[in-house]
Amino acid sequence: MRDHDGSGHDTDGRGYDKYAFEPFAVTVDLAVLTLRAGALHVLLVERGQEPYAGRWALPGGFLLPEESAEEAARRELAEETGLADVTGLHLEQLRTYSEPGRDPRMRVVSVAFAALVPDPHPDPVRGDPRPAPLEPHGGGDAAQARWTPYDAARGLAFDHDRIVADARTRVGAKLEYTCLATAFCPPEFTLGELQQVYETVWGTALDRPNFRRKVLAAPGFVEPVPGAARLTSGRGKPAAVYRAGPATALHPPLLRSPREGRPA
Amino acid sequence: MRDHDGSGHDTDGRGYDKYAFEPFAVTVDLAVLTLRAGALHVLLVERGQEPYAGRWALPGGFLLPEESAEEAARRELAEETGLADVTGLHLEQLRTYSEPGRDPRMRVVSVAFAALVPDPHPDPVRGDPRPAPLEPHGGGDAAQARWTPYDAARGLAFDHDRIVADARTRVGAKLEYTCLATAFCPPEFTLGELQQVYETVWGTALDRPNFRRKVLAAPGFVEPVPGAARLTSGRGKPAAVYRAGPATALHPPLLRSPREGRPA
DNA sequence: CTCTTTATAGTCGTCATGACTATTAAAGGG
DNA sequence: CCCTTTAATAGTCATGACGACTATAAAGAG
């Protein structure tokens, strides 16, 4: 029953017998998502080698012997984005892709993650001196890295199209019942910026007063930064500034309503 | 950057160079859940070998060279439960556990699944001749298998305590916004049986008329079996019989309310 | 100052929800 | 056969969340 090697060995499925299991290569793949200019973007790297040379792919790489998939993902994230502090970024394990043949060379099992990062290129706004913009750079090899609009991220190497689609589906769903949206925002943000996260990921327009009412009604979602206000687009009334609250789940949830929300 | 072997090779993280990656053993672990006698149960197997000999663990095993993790999980499920038809059972990929040291012998990366099965031992009810009860059996080796109440499934081998806890958390959450609950039910069921699924997994008592109203208000969740009715516990009015509808998501969701639901 | 733009406050009707009561249809005991 | 018990189902009602909408406030542009 646990004897899977077909050689008559019985190792209880976990025995020392090295012939009882097949070795696999294990990688992590990262769907690094951000919001730029009102559109969802994915960080892609150009492959320099076969297979799929010249094609775009998700950043990722092999697990090191002494690290977990989460640690490998965070290491790759730091390497690929050049971001100094990846400790605070939200990493979400999506699922593991293990179909034979997903890598044409060998058997590769890949643990996919979604990483949510604030806009690395915010438009400079008066009264909001944010840290210097972050530009992804290719690694030591020839590969280059680039932020790509979600809709243009098609024809990727391996099964990365599917991973990117799964990432968006998962993130869109978690926006409803978790506080995940703040992971796309800088440490301090306005409710308008938070609403743009929802509108961009969901692809729907939301009523601003209603959105505001629901966000403020969810305990621990956001908390006001006392005395702070910021002009978000140069004109209009300055918006109050909030930061992420202590909650992780959203009660009540911010549901994608079948009624509200026309196409954005 | 993608050069992870520390040997100066550069393989773009996926090169043919066999020294560029570390081989891992890849397994699947299954949290097979069911509802028996009003309590959540997990299928456990007793380990016959070191490490953790004599300890209880989740069923599982190594991936074969030509199968995906999902296929391996379904194969293991069939083997461990003796269930003839596992094609219809709901398999849910939970996450992948990859911490170094989670297996004391070697580096094992495990893809965990939750499997939801109808009660294999339903109380015989008049007018409901269900298929013969299903009893799990150990494999060809010495391991035995047993349904264990969720609360008694502690002290398991490896990190399986955590996997079991994650399975319950995931299932409980998905009951809210998917039609997952029907996966715990036989092909035809009453609304009382469906309500017991929610009450058991959530650990809360629900108001029967309100539950009924919400279930019937969700399009495609359940559909009536015309003319069928069944006495569910020998006494009282016979209940109408339903089967799972075509929907997979629940609109509106059946939220665990902070108000409703006293401890069951 | 006036217009535009954006944030924020508030209103109102509708619908979902939780709490509760009433009715119906069966079994079982006398 | 009548009455109690049990469970399913129908219905009621007040509260609250929600979507749609209007009004006001605070900024810049001209």
Side-chain angles (χ1 to χ4, degrees):
Chain A
M1 174 116 326
R2 316 293 294 280
D3 179 17
H4 303 146
D5 57 352
S7 65
H9 294 238
D10 183 349
T11 63
D12 193 25
R14 296 181 188 278
Y16 278 97
D17 188 335
K18 65 176 179 177
Y19 299 108
F21 66 92
E22 194 79 8
F24 295 89
V26 177
T27 64
V28 293
D29 283 316
L30 285 162
V32 188
L33 303 176
T34 196
L35 299 175
R36 294 182 83 174
L40 186 67
H41 282 63
V42 193
L43 184 67
L44 299 180
V45 297
E46 190 177 14
R47 291 182 53 77
Q49 284 192 252
E50 292 298 333
Y52 301 106
R55 293 271 284 280
W56 294 88
L58 296 179
F62 290 97
L63 254 70
L64 297 181
E66 294 301 327
E67 68 183 357
S68 68
E70 284 73 14
E71 289 163 352
R74 212 168 281 277
R75 172 177 54 78
E76 292 287 340
L77 182 61
E79 289 173 0
E80 297 286 346
T81 64
L83 192 55
D85 182 26
V86 296
T87 56
L89 295 185
H90 185 92
L91 258 191
E92 170 98 10
Q93 190 181 123
L94 289 175
R95 52 160 293 191
T96 295
Y97 299 82
S98 59
E99 282 67 35
R102 59 178 296 277
D103 188 308
R105 294 158 299 173
M106 56 184 172
R107 191 64 198 282
V108 178
V109 170
S110 187
V111 186
F113 290 83
L116 276 51
V117 307
D119 185 354
H121 254 302
D123 291 329
V125 171
R126 200 185 59 175
D128 174 39
R130 303 189 204 183
L134 156 74
E135 198 55 42
H137 52 274
D141 54 1
Q144 56 172 324
R146 183 179 294 169
W147 289 110
T148 307
Y150 175 85
D151 294 324
R154 295 292 149 79
L156 304 183
F158 305 104
D159 50 2
H160 290 184
D161 278 359
R162 189 171 152 208
I163 297 178
V164 170
D166 288 349
R168 183 186 199 150
T169 300
R170 172 78 69 89
V171 170
K174 291 203 95 173
L175 287 189
E176 293 191 302
Y177 51 94
T178 72
C179 300
L180 196 61
T182 55
F184 278 115
C185 296
E188 299 193 343
F189 53 88
T190 69
L191 294 187
E193 291 166 345
L194 189 66
Q195 181 175 349
Q196 275 212 359
V197 174
Y198 280 87
E199 293 183 331
T200 304
V201 176
W202 287 352
T204 58
L206 300 173
D207 180 83
R208 199 184 287 265
N210 290 343
F211 179 83
R212 173 190 188 79
R213 185 213 302 159
K214 288 197 267 191
V215 167
L216 295 180
F221 189 10
V222 298
E223 50 191 29
V225 177
R230 194 171 68 218
L231 278 170
T232 45
S233 61
R235 290 240 288 252
K237 179 176 176 177
V241 175
Y242 295 82
R243 57 175 158 250
T248 59
L250 223 45
H251 285 293
L254 261 158
L255 298 176
R256 259 181 292 203
S257 171
R259 283 191 294 275
E260 193 181 17
R262 311 139 286 181
Chain B
M1 176 109 335
R2 316 292 294 280
D3 180 17
H4 302 148
D5 56 353
S7 65
H9 293 237
D10 183 349
T11 62
D12 192 25
R14 297 180 187 279
Y16 278 98
D17 188 335
K18 65 177 179 177
Y19 299 107
F21 64 92
E22 193 80 8
F24 294 89
V26 177
T27 64
V28 293
D29 283 315
L30 285 162
V32 189
L33 303 176
T34 196
L35 299 174
R36 294 182 83 175
L40 186 67
H41 282 64
V42 192
L43 184 67
L44 298 181
V45 297
E46 191 178 14
R47 291 184 53 79
Q49 285 191 253
E50 291 297 334
Y52 300 107
R55 292 273 284 278
W56 293 88
L58 296 179
F62 290 97
L63 254 70
L64 297 180
E66 294 301 327
E67 67 182 359
S68 68
E70 285 72 15
E71 290 162 351
R74 213 168 279 278
R75 171 178 56 75
E76 293 285 343
L77 182 62
E79 291 173 0
E80 297 287 347
T81 64
L83 192 55
D85 182 26
V86 296
T87 57
L89 294 186
H90 185 92
L91 258 191
E92 171 98 11
Q93 190 182 123
L94 289 176
R95 53 161 292 191
T96 295
Y97 298 83
S98 60
E99 281 69 34
R102 60 178 294 278
D103 188 308
R105 295 158 299 173
M106 56 185 172
R107 191 65 198 281
V108 177
V109 170
S110 187
V111 187
F113 291 83
L116 276 51
V117 307
D119 184 354
H121 255 300
D123 290 330
V125 171
R126 203 185 56 174
D128 174 38
R130 304 189 202 182
L134 157 75
E135 198 55 41
H137 52 273
D141 53 3
Q144 56 172 326
R146 183 179 294 169
W147 289 110
T148 307
Y150 174 86
D151 293 323
R154 297 290 152 79
L156 305 183
F158 305 105
D159 50 2
H160 291 183
D161 278 358
R162 188 170 152 210
I163 297 178
V164 169
D166 288 349
R168 183 184 200 151
T169 300
R170 173 77 69 90
V171 170
K174 292 203 94 173
L175 287 188
E176 293 192 303
Y177 52 95
T178 72
C179 299
L180 196 62
T182 57
F184 278 116
C185 296
E188 299 192 343
F189 52 88
T190 68
L191 294 187
E193 291 166 346
L194 188 66
Q195 182 175 348
Q196 276 212 358
V197 173
Y198 280 87
E199 293 184 330
T200 303
V201 176
W202 287 352
T204 58
L206 299 174
D207 180 83
R208 200 184 285 266
N210 291 343
F211 179 82
R212 172 189 190 79
R213 186 215 301 159
K214 288 197 265 190
V215 168
L216 296 179
F221 189 11
V222 299
E223 51 192 28
V225 178
R230 194 172 68 218
L231 278 170
T232 44
S233 62
R235 292 239 288 252
K237 181 176 175 177
V241 175
Y242 295 83
R243 56 174 159 251
T248 57
L250 223 44
H251 284 295
L254 261 158
L255 299 176
R256 260 181 291 201
S257 170
R259 281 191 294 278
E260 193 182 20
R262 310 140 285 181

